């Protein structure tokens, strides 16, 4: 248990550091206007046009950090602070979400895989913690280990999802940065700042994946140790 708490504590601190750095970067770059003066909405619409995507709408969605691409209704949803803003941060976020739209339009395999995993992960996430708790109690009571094994399999689905998410997010950022530069939306220092913002955003997914892997390994070790004592 001490090993788990140590790993969990380290990942919590790393996660907080990355999250705070991300917020700090976006707060700074949200006050740096683009030299082109384009709003997040205009950046998104131009990137879609330049990639020949005419059936995706760019809409404003309430809240902060609620930006996402919805493949079901083909909409790029930009938070209010991104939609109307002409900042470097807004341009980076808008282009990143359009990167997902380009992935969808071109049939990017990892995005397709992640989409297929979503319904399975939604179920496994709701069930895994409860099943693992029951499984741990049964292991302590030296009862059947099957419940714990089922819990591990359910949790593993979330881990797989977090790993599949990494190339999807990094690829969307790479597409965004490549287009921002080629289209002349971000040049010089503007481009470096957009790249920096997306770099820190991507690191949040890396931390989440590492944390999930560490937790999965811990559960597997608990299971195997209990079996070796039997």
């Amino acid at each position: 248990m001490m090993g788990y708490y140590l790993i969990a504590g380290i990942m919590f601190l790393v996660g907080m550091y990355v999250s705070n750095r991300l917020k700090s970067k976006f707060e700074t770059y949200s006050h740096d206007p683009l030299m082109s003066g384009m709003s997040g909405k205009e950046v998104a619409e131009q990137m879609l046009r330049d990639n020949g995507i005419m059936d995706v709408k760019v809409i404003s969605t309430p809240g902060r950090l609620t930006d996402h691409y919805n493949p079901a209704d083909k909409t790029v949803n930009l938070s209010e602070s991104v939609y109307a803003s002409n900042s470097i941060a807004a341009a980076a976020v808008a282009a990143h979400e359009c990167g997902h739209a380009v992935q969808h339009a071109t049939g990017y395999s990892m995005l397709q895989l992640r989409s297929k995993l979503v319904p399975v992960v939604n179920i496994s996430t709701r069930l895994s913690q409860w099943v693992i708790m029951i499984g741990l109690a049964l292991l302590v009571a030296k009862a059947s280990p099957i419940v714990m094994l089922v819990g591990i399999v359910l949790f593993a689905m979330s881990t797989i999802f977090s790993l599949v998410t990494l190339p999807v997010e990094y690829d969307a950022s790479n597409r965004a940065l490549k287009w921002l530069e080629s289209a002349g939306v971000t040049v010089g220092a503007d481009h470096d700042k957009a790249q920096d913002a997306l770099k820190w955003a991507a690191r949040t997914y890396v931390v989440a994946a590492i944390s999930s892997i560490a937790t999965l390994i811990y559960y597997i070790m608990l299971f195997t140790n209990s079996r070796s004592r039997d």
Side-chain angles (χ1 to χ4, degrees):
M1 290 298 290
M2 286 303 296
Y4 172 73
Y5 288 133
L6 177 61
I7 293 172
I10 292 172
M11 294 311 304
F12 176 76
L13 292 175
V14 172
M16 282 203 53
Y17 171 75
V18 171
S19 178
N20 288 335
R21 288 288 289 172
L22 174 62
K23 290 176 182 177
S24 175
K25 293 288 184 181
F26 271 86
E27 180 65 24
T28 299
Y29 300 147
S30 291
H31 293 92
D32 287 347
L34 276 175
M35 291 178 63
S36 63
M38 297 174 68
S39 67
K41 173 180 180 291
E42 292 168 336
V43 168
E45 290 177 340
Q46 183 177 329
M47 182 172 174
L48 292 172
R49 285 196 303 270
D50 288 353
N51 282 276
I53 301 174
M54 304 301 177
D55 58 347
V56 173
K57 293 182 179 180
V58 180
I59 62 176
S60 177
T61 186
R64 184 175 175 81
L65 299 178
T66 52
D67 312 273
H68 64 282
Y69 170 66
N70 187 340
D73 60 7
K74 292 189 174 182
T75 56
V76 171
N77 299 262
L78 301 179
S79 58
E80 295 164 340
S81 60
V82 169
Y83 187 84
S85 173
N86 68 341
S87 69
I88 293 171
V93 171
H96 174 86
E97 297 309 331
C98 286
H100 290 307
V102 175
Q103 289 174 336
H104 188 204
T106 56
Y108 179 58
S109 59
M110 296 305 288
L111 179 67
Q112 293 178 334
L113 176 58
R114 187 174 74 167
S115 298
K116 291 176 181 178
L117 287 173
V118 168
V120 177
V121 171
N122 286 340
I123 296 172
S124 66
T125 300
R126 288 196 295 267
L127 295 177
S128 62
Q129 294 303 321
W130 292 104
V131 175
I132 286 173
M133 286 175 62
I134 296 170
L136 286 172
L138 291 174
L139 287 181
V140 171
K142 300 186 180 301
S144 173
I146 298 300
V147 175
M148 183 62 182
L149 185 59
V150 171
I152 290 173
V153 172
L154 289 171
F155 188 85
M157 295 307 301
S158 297
T159 303
I160 292 171
F161 185 79
S162 67
L163 290 173
V164 171
T165 293
L166 289 178
V168 173
E169 295 300 328
Y170 271 95
D171 180 78
S173 288
N174 289 336
R175 291 173 191 264
L177 290 167
K178 184 177 180 180
W179 176 82
L180 285 170
E181 186 173 38
S182 64
V185 177
T186 56
V187 294
D190 280 8
H191 190 73
D192 292 339
K193 291 175 181 178
Q195 186 174 33
D196 191 39
L198 291 179
K199 175 184 70 177
W200 281 98
R203 284 176 179 173
T204 61
Y205 293 100
V206 174
V207 172
I210 294 174
S211 179
S212 185
I213 292 171
T215 303
L216 178 62
I217 291 173
Y218 170 72
Y219 289 147
I220 292 173
M221 289 176 63
L222 281 179
F223 176 79
T224 55
N225 287 342
S226 68
R227 296 298 294 159
S228 64
R229 290 195 298 267
D230 291 345

